[in-house]
């Protein structure tokens, strides 16, 4: 008995109570304790039947006093399985059989087990919940067992917490690195993945500040923003560069969350992060594939268009002009065909390098595909004229640079010219499509002008373009509407005697002026219409030769027919010519085909084969516009020409320009060396004729001897000539 307390007897028990307190009072207190206790208190008699059931037990289990009184506690509140299982365990411990049920508790108690154990209780509604239960025997003052006291507490909340902790622990050991700091950013915990990723062991990291991982790559502003968001929303995620223990810097995807206690006070920060180096590599690979040309590593068309959009948006604000340059290598296909694609590729790579050198930083050089490149120049000033001059200066620099020798195969130098089309822009003055198209049109103007040139797109060009579209549709009808006329122009020998003629096409749209061939054949060539037109010309020429053959005065005259490159490239060209000759029963020797040099640059073998096949029939070939192209002497020797036709641009100033005179002399000498006859076209003056005769030219064509005219007119004048008594046709050299 403690000092200051006094002993009282309550029932048979002697009970200590505080001094000044009476026992009956205390019995009441005791009762009140049982009734108001937070835990479930159940008292049974010695065989386990309920004799007391406190309000907490009623609340916890959902039974009322009358539901349970006198019933066996074990069978109402406990799970059968659990009781049986514990009976088995106890049987094994005590080495004797324990009957499940009330016996289980007795057995435990008999061994002095009064400490708490986890059990499952069943509520009246059948639901289960975990409790911690202690059962103690109750004895009377004589030591006689009078019953059992069971005190149980609901541990569901505790169990849930435990489960959460288990899950958290598992998550903590996940693949992602986890770092937990206190509110002052001092590291309190890290996981294994953290160590693997950063190289810092838990021991090294704990106690350090989180800034241990800072890479220094990001500016103070970045971190300020991060903390700002974290403070505002309690959360931040994003990409960040951190540093490993080894010093290596890597990108990571980081999520930081605040942890607050029940009062809302910040206690911790939890950061999870993973290394995204691989992801970034894959991302940049995709980016490269999508936006760069794999061969030259230049931006591709898509990226160029992106940048063009940006440039135009910027130009709209600044009002500065920009320029788009489309660059196309002249005759690139030829190099590809003759030397192979490897060499072609190497050349393109070299072109890309040169382009990059020619432009300023901030300008873009892109490969549009094939041998076509696009350069975008920005910030060319506020004045269109000045911008044009600047763009032209860059274009000229590019043109010169690209025309330098390329060493793409050992010991061999290649030269390649380029044509450049330029279109200026200012903000959104035109759509991207229109802008590209205009540069393209300018490029083709350049190509038409003989390649190796620079051309601008301007409004006059647009007008020409519109006219061209109209021309194209009318040209389509011209053939079916029989609007073409074939003219003929005389060719004579040194004595001005007629030896043959060249056919020259004209277009006569009804009610309009006659259209010269230079105004429609290039378009016909582009659209492919030149093929049926050319066939018509050959057929017409053969039909005239047929008529001439029946005329003794004309049967030795040959006809020279102009053949376009596209027409000659037709797979069945040889057969078509042979068929026309046969159809009109014409001597093939009287048909001469005029080819131009540009035709010889493509696919040499095929050209030679076709020429030889026609030569075998007797058809002859003349090389038209000679001197204006690039063909070398050795190159020409590969083709079975019979004649060179000196371009009329050399003949025009032959008497006054010593350079032209020298060129013509050289061409004639060259013709002689190659055993080719030489015909001069565009002879307008006597002195030109004299000069040409003096230097060994044998055939002549030009206004001096007759203009191009319709066949009937031509035949009439011939009739006039033949009426003269001079011995006419028999002496004509063919
Ligand atoms: P080309 O083959 O060089 O034809 C000669 C051109 O010179 C002709 O122009 C002719 O009218 C012109 N000419 C003839 N003598 C003189 C002269 O003394 N002085 C001057 N200044 N010019 C003279 P045209 O008829 O306008 O033909 C131009 C071009 O059209 C021809 O050039 C030829 O390349 C092409 N062409 C003409 N007919 C045909 C054809 O049937 N088929 C094809 N594919 N092209 C043709
Ligand atoms: Ca010609
Ligand atoms: Ca010519």
């Amino acid at each position: 008995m403690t000092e200051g307390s006094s002993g009282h007897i309550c029932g048979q028990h002697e009970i200590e109570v505080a001094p000044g307190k009476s026992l009956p009072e205390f019995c009441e207190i005791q009762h009140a304790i049982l009734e108001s206790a937070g835990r479930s208190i159940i008292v049974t008699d010695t065989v386990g039947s309920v004799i007391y059931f406190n309000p907490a037990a009623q609340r916890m289990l959902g039974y009322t006093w009358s539901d349970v009184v006198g019933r066996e506690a074990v069978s109402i509140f406990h799970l059968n399985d659990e009781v049986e299982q514990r009976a088995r365990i106890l049987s094994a411990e005590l080495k004797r059989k324990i009957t499940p049920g009330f016996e289980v508790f007795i057995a435990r108690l008999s061994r002095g087990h009064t400490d708490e154990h986890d059990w499952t209780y069943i509520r009246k509604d059948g639901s289960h919940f975990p409790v911690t239960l202690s059962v103690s025997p109750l004895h009377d003052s004589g030591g006689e067992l009078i019953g059992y006291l069971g005190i149980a507490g609901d541990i569901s909340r505790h169990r849930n917490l435990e489960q959460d902790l288990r899950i958290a622990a598992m998550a903590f050991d996940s693949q992602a690195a986890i770092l937990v700091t206190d509110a002052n950013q001092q590291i309190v915990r890290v996981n294994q993945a953290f160590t693997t990723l950063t190289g810092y062991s838990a021991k090294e990291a704990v106690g350090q500040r989180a800034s241990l991982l800072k890479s220094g790559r990001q500016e103070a502003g970045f971190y300020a923003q991060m903390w700002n968001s974290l403070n505002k929303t309690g959360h931040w995620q994003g990409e960040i560069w951190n540093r490993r223990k080894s010093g290596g810097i890597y990108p990571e995807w980081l999520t930081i969350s605040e942890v607050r206690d029940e009062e809302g006070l910040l206690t911790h920060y939890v950061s999870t992060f993973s290394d995204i180096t691989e992801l970034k590599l894959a991302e940049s690979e995709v980016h490269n594939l999508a936006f760069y040309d794999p061969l030259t590593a230049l931006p591709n068309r898509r990226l160029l268009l992106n940048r063009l959009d940006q440039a135009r948006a910027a130009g709209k604000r600044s009002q500065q002009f920009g320029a788009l340059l489309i660059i196309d290598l002249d005759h690139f296909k030829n190099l590809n065909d003759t030397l192979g694609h490897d060499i072609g590729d190497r050349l393109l790579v070299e072109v890309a390098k040169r382009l990059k050198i020619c432009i300023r930083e901030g300008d873009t050089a892109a490969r549009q595909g094939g041998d076509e490149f696009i350069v975008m120049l920005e910030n060319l000033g506020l004045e269109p004229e000045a911008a044009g001059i600047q763009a032209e200066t860059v274009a000229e620099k590019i043109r010169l640079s690209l025309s330098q020798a390329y060493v793409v195969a050992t010991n061999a130098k290649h030269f390649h010219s380029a044509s450049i089309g330029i279109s200026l822009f200012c903000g959104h003055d035109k759509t991207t499509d229109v802008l590209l198209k205009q540069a393209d049109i300018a490029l083709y103007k350049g190509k038409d002008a003989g390649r190796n040139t620079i051309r601008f797109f301007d409004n006059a060009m647009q007008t020409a373009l519109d006219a061209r579209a109209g021309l194209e549709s009318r040209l389509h009808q011209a053939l079916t509407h029989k609007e073409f006329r074939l003219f003929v122009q005389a060719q004579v020998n040194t004595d001005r005697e007629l030896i043959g003629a060249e056919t020259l096409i004209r277009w006569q749209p009804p009610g309009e002026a006659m259209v010269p061939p230079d105004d429609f054949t290039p378009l016909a060539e582009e659209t492919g219409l030149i093929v049926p037109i050319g066939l018509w010309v050959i057929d017409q020429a053969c039909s005239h030769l047929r008529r001439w053959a029946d005329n003794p005065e004309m049967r030795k005259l040959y006809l020279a027919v102009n053949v376009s490159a596209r027409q000659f490239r037709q797979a069945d060209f040889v057969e078509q010519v042979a068929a026309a000759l046969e159809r009109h029963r014409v001597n093939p020797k009287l048909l001469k085909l005029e080819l131009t040099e540009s035709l010889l640059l493509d696919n040499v073998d095929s050209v030679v084969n076709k020429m030889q096949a026609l030569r075998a029939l007797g058809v002859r070939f003349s090389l038209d516009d000679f001197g204006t192209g690039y063909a070398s002497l050795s190159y020409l020797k590969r083709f079975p020409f019979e004649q060179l036709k000196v371009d009329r641009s050399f003949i025009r100033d032959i008497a006054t320009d010593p350079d032209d005179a020298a060129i013509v002399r050289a061409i004639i000498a060259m013709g002689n060396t190659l055993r080719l006859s030489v015909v001069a076209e565009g002879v307008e003056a006597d002195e030109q004729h004299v000069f040409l005769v003096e230097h060994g030219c044998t055939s002549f064509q030009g206004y001096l001897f007759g203009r191009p005219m319709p066949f009937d007119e031509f035949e009439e004048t011939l009739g006039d000539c033949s009426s003269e008594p001079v011995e006419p046709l028999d002496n004509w050299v063919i």
Side-chain angles (χ1 to χ4, degrees), residues 502 562 594 624-626 645-648 681:
E502 179 185 4
N562 294 289
E594 293 194 1
D624 206 355
D625 302 340
F626 187 74
K645 195 165 187 182
V646 187
D647 191 67
R648 64 176 187 274
E681 67 178 357

Side-chain angles (χ1 to χ4, degrees), residues 315-357:
K316 198 176 169 193
R317 287 190 295 274
S318 69
Q319 286 299 302
Q320 293 227 36
F321 275 84
L324 210 61
L325 279 58
I326 297 195
I327 300 149
D328 186 282
L329 302 180
D330 298 329
H331 302 304
F332 177 72
K333 190 182 167 297
N334 191 28
L335 172 122
N336 236 358
D337 287 349
T338 50
L339 297 177
H341 285 263
D342 277 358
I343 302 280
D345 282 356
R346 264 186 257 169
L347 191 118
L348 291 174
V349 170
E350 179 62 26
V351 166
K353 270 191 208 150
R354 293 184 191 183
L355 283 181
K356 276 196 277 190
I357 293 169

Side-chain angles (χ1 to χ4, degrees), residues 491 502-504 560-563 594-596 622-625 645 648 681 701:
Q491 289 188 355
E502 179 185 4
T503 62
L504 294 160
V561 171
N562 294 289
V563 173
E594 293 194 1
L595 308 182
T596 52
S622 179
L623 183 55
D624 206 355
D625 302 340
K645 195 165 187 182
R648 64 176 187 274
E681 67 178 357
Q701 181 181 346

Side-chain angles (χ1 to χ4, degrees), residues 239-532:
E239 226 177 277
I240 191 170
W241 291 86
N242 269 349
R243 187 189 297 276
R244 293 184 221 275
K245 187 181 170 191
S246 64
I249 290 178
Y250 65 95
E252 65 179 36
W253 183 259
L254 170 65
T255 306
I256 309 178
S257 305
E258 282 180 359
V259 180
R260 291 181 181 269
D261 65 13
E262 278 157 11
E263 272 81 51
L265 268 177
L266 180 77
T267 58
H268 296 92
Y269 291 105
V270 177
S271 306
T272 51
F273 52 94
S274 49
D275 186 342
I276 53 168
T277 309
E278 297 282 315
L279 196 79
K280 287 200 80 87
L281 278 179
E283 196 181 86
S284 78
E285 174 111 3
V286 168
H287 183 263
N288 277 345
L289 285 175
F291 291 111
Y292 290 87
D293 166 44
L295 176 67
T296 62
L298 287 184
N300 64 11
R301 185 183 158 93
R302 188 180 296 132
L303 183 54
L304 177 99
L305 292 182
N306 280 354
R307 292 200 183 159
L308 183 60
D309 280 347
Q310 286 166 16
R312 290 169 63 213
K316 198 176 169 193
R317 287 190 295 274
S318 69
Q319 286 299 302
Q320 293 227 36
F321 275 84
L324 210 61
L325 279 58
I326 297 195
I327 300 149
D328 186 282
L329 302 180
D330 298 329
H331 302 304
F332 177 72
K333 190 182 167 297
N334 191 28
L335 172 122
N336 236 358
D337 287 349
T338 50
L339 297 177
H341 285 263
D342 277 358
I343 302 280
D345 282 356
R346 264 186 257 169
L347 191 118
L348 291 174
V349 170
E350 179 62 26
V351 166
K353 270 191 208 150
R354 293 184 191 183
L355 283 181
K356 276 196 277 190
I357 293 169
C358 290
I359 60 174
R360 297 174 304 185
E361 205 178 313
D363 293 334
T364 302
R367 181 167 174 227
Q368 139 124 312
D371 60 338
E372 218 170 81
F373 294 83
I374 301 185
V375 165
M376 181 180 73
L377 307 176
E378 287 182 70
N379 302 324
L380 298 180
L382 301 171
E383 296 301 323
E385 290 79 15
I389 292 170
Q390 274 200 64
E392 184 163 30
T393 311
V394 177
E396 183 57 25
K397 195 169 155 195
I398 291 174
R399 194 188 64 79
L400 270 177
S401 164
L402 297 187
S403 67
Q404 305 297 312
Y406 295 85
V407 184
V408 283
T410 40
N411 297 333
K413 280 184 177 175
H414 291 272
F415 289 90
H416 255 277
S417 60
S419 302
I420 303 175
I422 307 174
S423 174
L424 293 182
F425 61 90
C426 184
H428 294 119
D429 57 350
K430 33 195 152 180
T431 66
T432 305
D433 263 4
V434 165
L435 186 58
L436 279 167
K437 204 162 182 181
Q438 289 184 343
D440 219 38
I441 290 164
L443 171 71
Y444 279 94
K445 277 276 167 191
K447 293 230 169 221
D448 281 355
R451 300 170 198 264
N452 199 12
T453 47
I454 297 166
R455 279 287 182 280
F456 269 90
F457 180 89
D458 56 26
N459 284 340
M461 233 183 231
Q462 184 67 60
T463 315
L465 182 82
D466 294 344
R468 207 175 108 116
L471 180 69
E472 189 180 332
S473 70
R474 290 198 299 139
L475 203 54
H476 270 282
Q477 298 172 356
L479 202 64
T480 44
H481 294 179
K482 296 195 164 55
E483 291 170 10
F484 293 113
R485 305 277 173 272
L486 201 57
F487 276 32
V488 65
Q489 187 181 26
Q491 289 188 355
V492 301
N493 65 10
T494 43
D495 297 325
R496 303 192 180 201
E497 292 163 342
L498 187 66
I499 51 176
E502 179 185 4
T503 62
L504 294 160
I505 195 170
R506 269 94 186 94
W507 177 22
Q508 178 62 77
E512 285 179 44
M514 184 126 73
V515 187
D518 283 341
D519 288 2
F520 68 87
T521 47
L523 185 61
E525 172 92 21
E526 237 173 78
T527 57
L529 260 180
I530 198 73
V531 175

